[in-house]
Structure formats: C-alpha cells, structure tokens
Amino acid sequence: MTTQKVIRVDVRGEICPYPMLRAVEAMTKAQGEEGIEVLTDHPPALLTIPNEAVKRGWDVSIQRLGPSEWKIALTKSRVAEGGQR
Amino acid sequence: MGSATGTVPRQALGLARRGLLAGLAITGAIVVFFLFSGHPKWQLLWAFGLLFGYILQRGRFCFASAFRDLFLMGESRVMRGVLAGMAVATPLFTVAMVLLHPTPLPGRYPPEVNVLPLGPHTFLAGVLFALGMTLAGGCISGTLYRIGEGYTASLVALLGVFIGFVLLAFTWGFWWQTSVAYAPLVWFPQPLGYTGGMLLTLGLLGLALLGLLWWEHRHRTPRGGVWAVPSEGEGGQGTPPTLGGQVRTLLGAVFLRPWPVVVAGAALGFLNGVLLLLHRPWGVTGPLYGWMEAVWGRLGVFLVPLPPLMGLDQFGGACNPALAAPRVFGLAHNDMVVLGVVAGSFTAAAIAGEFKVRVPRQRRRYLQSLVGGVLMGYGAALALGCTLGAFFSAIPSLALNGWLFAFGLLGGSFLGARILRKLG
C-alpha cells in the first residue's frame, strides 16, 4: 500500500468563498504525490471544490462524516497531464 | 479505511437528530400557517417565503456567488441559474402587468412592479451592495437563507444591514437632491408596448448568456466532462428500475440531494411570477427596512428621530416604507416573506441533514460580515431594493433600472473579489 503524504485543509466554520479558496491554494502548493483532504461543513463547497479540482487535474471523492460535515479527498489524476493548466 | 465500531450508533443518532429537526421545522411551518387563519395575505406570503427559502437552500442559490464567481474563478454556473430565473419570470410578469394595466397611459407606470428611479445612485448602489455581499459571503436573501442553515456570521451580516439602513436614512437627503429627485422612470413598454418590452428583456437576457459563454471561454474554463464527480452520500449506483426505486430517487433529488442551480433559479423565477399575479414581486428590503424603523421608533426616546425617506410615496417597488401596514401579531403581511425564507431554509437544511450551528474560526470573519452587511444595507436602501427588489424582480418588471443596478453589481463584485483575495 503506497503511503501518500496527505495535506489536511480544515475549513469548517469558514464563510463563503473561503473553503474553495483554501482548497485551491492547497492544490496550487501541492507537489508530487501529495493528496489533499478538505474538511468542510459548507454545502456550496461540495460543488465548487470538485469543480475547481477537476479543472486542475485532480480526482475527487466526497465522504459524509456526520450532520453537515464532509471530507473531500483530492488526488492528482493519473490521466495524462499534457496541456492541463 | 474500515469503518470504526462507533459509526452505527453515531449514524443512528445523526438520523434521530435530523428527524427531530425536520419534524420541528415542518410542524412549525404548519402551526404558523394556521396561526394566521383568517388573514389570507399573511398565509400566502408565509407559504411563498417557505418555498423561496426551501429552494434557495436546496439550490445553494446566492446572488453573491453568481456575481463574485465570475471574477474569482471565471465561473458562470450560478449566474446561469439567475438568468434562467429571470427568463422564466419575465413572461409571467408581463402577463401580470397586462392584466393589471392593459393600456398604460403615457408617463404612468404600474406601481405593483419594481420600476424605480434611474440615476447615478442606482449604479453606485449596485457597486456598494455587491462589495458588501462579496465581503459578507452572501447577499441579503443569501444571508437570510444561511441564517436558516445555522451560520452565525450571517446574523452579524444582517445586523450590519440594519446599520446600513440607518446610515442611508440619515444621508438620504443628499442622494435625493443630487440624483433621485431628477431620476426618470424607464419602463420598456413605454414606448415599445408589452410584447416589445418583453422581447427586448428576453433578448438582453439571451445576450447576457452569450456574454457568460464568452467570459468562460476567455478564462479557458473547461466545460463538460468535469461532471464525472462521484456524488456525495448514497453510493451513486444507477436508479433501480422498479417504480418504488424511481420514486425514492425522485424524492431524494428533491429533499436530500442538492438541486441543479438552473432548476432552482427557474423555480424561483416561476414562483416570483405567480407571486406577482397574486400580490407583489418577491422582495425583502422593504420589510427589513420597516423592522429597522420599528426598532428605532421604540428606542426613539434615546435617539435622534430617524429621517423619513422623502419622495418615496411616488414609487412602487420593494422598498416603500411610507406605507402604514396593518399588523397581525405585530407583523405586517410583507414581513411573512422574510420569516418564511429563514424558516423554509431551515426546513430544507433540517430534512437534508445540513443544519449546523456554524461559527467562524477566525474572529475577523465577524467583522468582515458586519462591514459587508453595512454596505449591503446602504446600497439596498439607496436603490430601493436589493438583488431581489432592484434586480431579480426589476428586470422581469421590464424596467431599465434593473439593468443599471446589475452593472453596478458587476463592478462591485469585481472589486470585492480582489479585496477577498487580499484579505485571505
């Protein structure tokens, strides 16, 4: 099992649009094989973060942790990165 | 990765909490409805408020997001929902106006819709309002629906809105003299006729949509294919072919999963049109301003009397605080929409398990929300309406002021997005 360094971004309690901005910051800073886990309780972020992630070549999966709490796991997509911004 | 042993009882507790909140919300909505028996206008506006609030929450529909995301991410997704709403509302509003005023006399404008004075103040109000909504993380309707979801920062934003109202009341004289008093009312059916006015509005909305496509192209925002994102929660298997399975999936789509924003927008626009046919367009600024006046009046002994907004009895629209409205349980009928939005959003959140008391970790978010709210309050009172009254309900009213306010909103959101990034 490959151990992957995971960057945790906890944006619970943050107001719009900071959950998405923080996630994008983390994606921009991530290097190599790092994965990102975003913890959020902000419903709009469940659409905006995956949207921005896929644009940047990341795969997304969302797991519900509890009443109005979600973990958005981002991993760099294995698909060819040619031409992706 | 394996599930911890504590998760099943936790899940049960979570469901119980959800059921309790949902039961509370639904019961409360019904009780309030019957509390106002014999007062059909109050019941009507409560019901519509509930529906509006429900849909806002389900669709995560926020004007702040619609405008701000254009500049923050080059994204037009929510704005498309807004345009869809106005496109649906426009023919309904036109029909309503035709029924109310089949042959409008020259120089006469239907007071039931939001034809508002058009001047530099309209544009400036849009800029201020949008600056405020971007900082506060939501417009006024967004703030109301987020209060229903449990966001404490939105309560602070609402407080800011009231403060903004007060500031405008004391400075209204300046705006009246420099802009509002001379501002014309421009309503498309004079001189284009109802059909011409409606077609012009729909045409402009179509142009706006093209503009959004161009904007996203300019930002090289990819579309299509990005939606292969596994949906949160229930597995994401295909819909079972049985009738029961189909019904469950449909119920899930309405009550448990988020609505596509275009569907939410269209539904809101449709309801707005129906509301006008039955009463007036959707608006919250007027009632909120009335609350501010009422509270100020109570404190009147200690404070300087609040200057009335002169000249407003001439105009219709969302903000007409000169009207002395009859009250039931202390509430004017228009107040029911505001309360309904909060309650409807709470109901939606409760059923979907999205209600949570959310407290910002950083204290400065409270200050940010407060300042944002003050700007929103000032801008909304200056424009005699917020993103609802001066925009979402004004454009379908076939009034030019809606478009000028919209340009102001664009400008303010552009500035606001920059400031947001700097604030971090």
Side-chain angles (χ1 to χ4, degrees):
Chain A
M1 191 157 70
T2 44
T3 39
Q4 199 183 43
K5 177 159 173 244
V6 170
I7 307 172
R8 279 206 169 74
V9 180
D10 188 346
V11 284
R12 287 174 294 184
E14 267 294 21
I15 65 173
C16 218
Y18 291 104
M20 185 272 303
L21 286 178
R22 293 274 174 272
V24 167
E25 253 172 47
M27 282 187 264
T28 313
K29 289 202 196 124
Q31 296 147 357
E33 288 305 308
E34 290 166 329
I36 302 176
E37 270 180 12
V38 182
L39 287 173
T40 182
D41 54 10
H42 189 59
L46 298 175
L47 207 42
T48 54
I49 294 181
N51 210 9
E52 291 304 301
V54 175
K55 274 191 221 173
R56 288 165 170 77
W58 294 73
D59 289 335
V60 185
S61 93
I62 304 179
Q63 189 192 342
R64 190 188 178 105
L65 297 177
S68 205
E69 255 183 50
W70 299 272
K71 177 168 75 177
I72 306 176
L74 306 173
T75 45
K76 216 48 177 102
S77 179
R78 301 267 177 71
V79 177
E81 281 154 61
Q84 278 297 330
R85 288 199 52 152
Chain B
M1 191 94 81
S3 51
T5 43
T7 48
V8 171
R10 263 184 67 211
Q11 276 175 18
L13 203 67
L15 274 175
R17 178 183 178 269
R18 211 161 128 171
L20 194 70
L21 281 177
L24 210 77
I26 296 170
T27 313
I30 298 172
V31 163
V32 170
F33 186 83
F34 284 107
L35 212 65
F36 286 87
S37 296
H39 305 280
K41 267 225 150 60
W42 278 253
Q43 292 180 310
L44 177 79
L45 291 169
W46 172 248
F48 268 81
L50 286 172
L51 286 170
F52 285 133
Y54 194 90
I55 297 171
L56 286 175
Q57 200 280 333
R58 290 286 78 216
R60 291 82 160 92
F61 190 91
C62 182
F63 293 97
S65 168
F67 283 90
R68 172 201 71 210
D69 293 351
L70 292 173
F71 302 106
L72 211 57
M73 296 131 70
E75 266 291 342
S76 73
R77 187 183 57 91
V78 183
M79 184 58 85
R80 290 169 194 229
V82 171
L83 291 182
M86 293 194 289
V88 168
T90 295
L92 290 170
F93 270 52
T94 308
V95 166
M97 288 187 281
V98 168
L99 291 172
L100 288 164
H101 305 273
T103 40
L105 297 171
R108 305 289 236 124
Y109 309 98
E112 299 87 354
V113 295
N114 297 5
V115 186
L116 302 169
L118 179 80
H121 70 280
T122 312
F123 179 80
L124 184 66
V127 173
L128 291 173
F129 188 90
L131 209 48
M133 74 183 180
T134 310
L135 288 176
C139 54
I140 298 187
S141 54
T143 295
L144 289 175
Y145 104 67
R146 289 208 177 93
I147 290 174
E149 284 184 314
Y151 285 82
T152 56
S154 296
L155 285 168
V156 175
L158 189 61
L159 175 68
V161 169
F162 290 126
I163 297 174
F165 284 165
V166 171
L167 292 174
L168 187 280
F170 280 101
T171 52
W172 175 256
F174 170 75
W175 298 110
W176 174 256
Q177 280 164 16
T178 54
S179 180
V180 187
Y182 316 108
L185 299 179
V186 181
W187 185 52
F188 295 150
Q190 309 256 28
L192 298 173
Y194 278 117
T195 315
M198 185 185 81
L199 290 176
L200 174 62
T201 299
L202 290 173
L204 288 173
L205 289 171
L207 268 179
L209 179 62
L210 286 177
L212 292 182
L213 295 176
W214 168 78
W215 185 257
E216 287 199 345
H217 172 75
R218 195 167 161 262
H219 284 256
R220 274 165 270 135
T221 308
R223 285 247 145 245
V226 302
W227 298 109
V229 171
S231 60
E232 26 120 4
E234 299 80 36
Q237 309 101 338
T239 304
T242 61
L243 180 63
Q246 299 278 3
V247 171
R248 255 200 308 268
T249 305
L250 184 64
L251 288 175
V254 172
F255 294 107
L256 299 177
R257 286 187 291 281
W259 288 20
V261 75
V262 170
V263 170
L268 290 169
F270 177 75
L271 286 172
N272 199 6
V274 174
L275 184 61
L276 171 59
L277 284 162
L278 297 173
H279 174 65
R280 288 280 187 283
W282 186 23
V284 294
T285 303
L288 288 171
Y289 194 90
W291 289 0
M292 182 279 290
E293 283 186 316
V295 170
W296 190 274
R298 291 276 158 89
L299 305 168
V301 181
F302 309 103
L303 297 164
V304 177
L306 194 77
L309 302 190
M310 63 186 106
L312 282 191
D313 36 325
Q314 310 169 28
F315 311 123
C319 193
N320 203 333
L323 291 169
R327 292 173 179 275
V328 179
F329 302 120
L331 294 165
H333 58 264
N334 277 325
D335 296 341
M336 302 306 288
V337 175
V338 173
L339 296 173
V341 167
V342 179
S345 168
F346 173 64
T347 306
I351 294 173
E354 288 171 1
F355 178 81
K356 182 188 173 203
V357 176
R358 296 165 172 89
V359 178
R361 302 269 196 76
Q362 309 172 66
R363 293 294 157 116
R364 62 193 167 124
R365 295 295 182 227
Y366 282 124
L367 183 63
Q368 195 176 322
S369 297
L370 186 70
V371 171
V374 172
L375 289 166
M376 282 202 284
Y378 199 89
L382 181 60
L384 308 177
C386 59
T387 41
L388 291 179
F391 173 64
F392 197 64
S393 296
I395 286 183
S397 298
L398 311 183
L400 186 59
N401 47 275
W403 294 95
L404 185 57
F405 188 69
F407 278 109
L409 292 174
L410 282 169
S413 302
F414 169 74
L415 292 171
R418 296 214 139 168
I419 297 178
L420 262 190
R421 286 194 184 279
K422 292 236 171 77
L423 280 180

